[in-house]
Amino acid sequence: MEFPIELTLEQQFRLQNLKTQVENLSQEEAQEFLLEVLRQMMVKDNLVKHLLKQA
């Protein structure tokens, strides 16, 4: 199974948009943002694992 490594144009746009938003965050806000993003990635990982077990 081959996985794409590059971001889609939509993902690149969303990433640029986020970059603009986080540029003006304080260090504390940036840390909170980072932790929330990491939490969401872990939830996504758990969902993918659960769906793979169901297949």
Side-chain angles (χ1 to χ4, degrees):
M1 184 180 295
E2 193 171 318
F3 296 100
I5 321 172
E6 299 296 322
L7 297 178
T8 65
L9 285 176
E10 181 182 356
Q11 289 169 326
Q12 290 176 31
F13 177 76
R14 288 173 53 201
L15 185 60
Q16 185 61 41
N17 214 4
L18 281 171
K19 179 182 175 188
T20 303
Q21 290 178 30
V22 299
E23 283 177 341
N24 297 320
L25 295 180
S26 68
Q27 182 176 350
E28 183 179 335
E29 291 170 323
Q31 289 172 343
E32 289 175 10
F33 184 82
L34 175 60
L35 287 174
E36 178 58 21
V37 169
L38 291 172
R39 187 192 71 77
Q40 289 180 15
M41 289 175 61
M42 290 176 189
V43 168
K44 182 179 178 182
D45 288 345
N46 291 344
L47 178 61
V48 169
K49 287 176 187 177
H50 175 75
L51 291 172
L52 287 173
K53 286 181 184 178
Q54 300 299 315

